[in-house]
């Protein structure tokens, strides 16, 4: 009899342990993985249907001479052998705007610059941050109101910094002073050749923007505003001088030199900051509790 009671007690303990484990497991999703970063791919080799082109002189959505290309799992800029530059710079815009985020891109320059391209555009592209809404861009506008993280390649001989800053239609605070000129060099080394390069940006609304190359912060600035000129063909309604740039779209360029992008990914730093929510993340820096899931 004692042996029978012992076996019943033993199995009762096992069952209670299983029930407790299942209960605790059911509670875990509210708190686990709050530190795990959830990067999203703006481009990951599966097409460019989430991107929209705009070329100077062409309507939004027209891929002038098919210069933005998706082939061999790469997002590329290409030019026909007999094509000649006629001032039609291009930009390709991601469908969604962001305010607080980390951006990471892997790219390489290839081939020769198209005929007639300006000298400064040799091995030159850019990640355009805080871009104006592409629907507000003028037909003949050359560059969007934005902050450009320049992607620059060397010629194999001369020094040329990478991840510089250019400011089409914008001003920034650089080293505690208002920066009005169009471009300023970073403190990076030169990236010669056709090797893959990884570049990053940290964008915190209008409070801080950093350009990062090979893990090193090579450029930092704050408080971007509309102004400064350095663009033409814009609509007066979009160029509201002095307005702070707190968010915007992301675009890449077609500036007369072929380039390949292997991946472009983003970590959104804006989201649910209620610790009771299932989608709370500890790395969020700006609250958008309308996205919370319970």
């Amino acid at each position: 009899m004692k042996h029978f009671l012992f076996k019943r007690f033993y199995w009762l303990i096992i069952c209670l342990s299983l029930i407790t484990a299942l209960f605790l497991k059911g509670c875990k999703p509210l708190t686990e993985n709050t530190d795990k970063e959830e990067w999203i791919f703006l481009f990951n080799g599966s097409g460019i249907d989430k991107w929209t082109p705009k070329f100077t002189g062409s309507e939004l959505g027209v891929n002038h001479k098919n210069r933005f290309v998706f082939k061999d799992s790469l997002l590329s800029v290409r030019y026909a052998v007999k094509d000649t530059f006629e001032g039609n710079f291009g930009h390709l815009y991601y469908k969604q705007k962001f305010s607080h985020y980390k951006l990471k891109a892997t790219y390489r320059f290839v081939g020769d610059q198209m005929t007639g391209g300006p000298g400064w555009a040799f091995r030159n592209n850019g990640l355009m941050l805080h871009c104006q809404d592409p629907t507000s861009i003028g037909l003949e506008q050359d560059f969007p109101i934005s902050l450009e993280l320049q992607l620059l390649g060397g010629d194999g001989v001369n020094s040329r910094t990478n991840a510089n800053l250019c400011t089409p239609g914008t001003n920034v605070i650089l080293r505690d002073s208002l920066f009005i000129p169009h471009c300023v060099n970073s403190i990076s080394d030169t990236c010669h050749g056709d090797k893959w390069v990884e570049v990053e940006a940290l964008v915190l609304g209008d409070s801080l923007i950093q350009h990062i190359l090979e893990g090193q912060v090579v450029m930092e600035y704050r408080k971007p505003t509309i102004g400064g000129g350095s663009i033409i063909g814009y609509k007066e309604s979009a160029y509201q001088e002095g307005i702070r740039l707190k968010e915007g779209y992301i675009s890449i360029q077609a500036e007369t030199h072929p380039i390949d992008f292997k991946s472009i990914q983003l970590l959104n730093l804006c989201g649910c900051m209620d610790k009771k929510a299932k989608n709370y993340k500890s790395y969020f820096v700006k609250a958008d509790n309308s996205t919370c899931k319970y």
Side-chain angles (χ1 to χ4, degrees), residues 43-282:
F43 173 75
N44 66 347
S46 60
I48 56 175
D49 56 306
K50 296 179 181 179
W51 297 76
T52 302
K54 173 67 178 76
F55 283 83
T56 304
S58 297
E59 297 288 349
L60 180 66
V62 175
N63 189 5
H64 181 69
K65 296 188 177 181
N66 294 315
R67 287 177 177 170
F68 288 112
V69 179
F70 173 63
K71 185 178 180 180
D72 298 328
S73 298
L74 299 175
L75 194 174
S76 304
V77 176
R78 292 291 185 269
Y79 301 94
V81 174
K82 296 183 179 180
D83 202 358
T84 301
F85 179 63
E86 297 176 344
N88 38 20
F89 294 111
H91 295 82
L92 189 67
Y93 298 85
Y94 188 69
K95 66 176 185 176
Q96 181 180 348
K97 64 182 178 180
F98 301 94
S99 65
H100 295 66
Y101 58 91
K102 292 180 181 178
L103 182 68
K104 186 185 301 182
T106 305
Y107 72 93
R108 68 181 178 188
F109 287 106
V110 295
D112 299 319
Q113 186 180 12
M114 75 180 301
T115 303
W120 55 261
F122 169 80
R123 290 188 171 243
N124 188 332
N125 202 285
L127 295 172
M128 315 300 281
L129 313 173
H130 279 353
C131 288
Q132 68 184 101
D133 188 326
T135 63
S136 71
I137 293 177
L139 181 66
E140 300 296 334
Q141 189 169 335
D142 52 357
F143 300 98
I145 297 169
S146 59
L147 306 163
E148 179 183 359
L149 190 171
Q150 278 194 310
L151 308 180
L152 299 169
D155 60 7
V157 178
N158 299 296
S159 297
R160 190 189 198 191
T161 55
N162 194 5
N164 297 341
L165 166 68
C166 286
T167 55
T170 54
N171 294 319
V172 302
I173 299 298
L174 182 67
R175 293 186 289 273
D176 298 323
S177 299
L178 179 65
F179 181 76
I180 298 176
H182 182 45
C183 294
V184 59
N185 288 348
S186 74
I187 59 170
S188 82
D189 295 328
T190 306
C191 295
H192 291 297
D194 296 352
K195 66 178 181 179
W196 290 104
V197 178
E198 186 174 273
V199 66
E200 301 176 57
L202 172 65
V203 181
L204 301 179
D206 66 345
S207 63
L208 175 67
I209 299 96
Q210 294 179 336
H211 299 178
I212 303 165
L213 192 67
E214 297 180 350
Q216 179 187 10
V217 176
V218 297
M219 172 64 66
E220 180 176 296
Y221 50 96
R222 304 169 187 275
K223 299 180 180 179
T225 57
I226 296 176
S230 300
I231 56 172
I232 60 173
Y234 57 83
K235 296 178 181 178
E236 293 292 340
S237 58
Y239 192 83
Q240 300 180 38
E241 195 161 355
I243 295 294
R244 294 273 283 269
L245 290 178
K246 299 182 179 182
E247 62 180 8
Y249 292 82
I250 295 167
S251 73
I252 63 172
Q253 297 184 313
E255 282 197 323
T256 74
H257 202 111
I259 191 172
D260 294 328
F261 288 90
K262 183 189 295 185
S263 70
I264 304 174
Q265 52 186 317
L266 181 142
L267 180 67
N268 199 345
L269 301 179
C270 177
C272 177
M273 295 185 70
D274 183 351
K275 293 183 178 180
K276 297 178 182 179
K278 294 179 180 179
N279 57 335
Y280 162 78
K281 288 294 181 181
S282 61

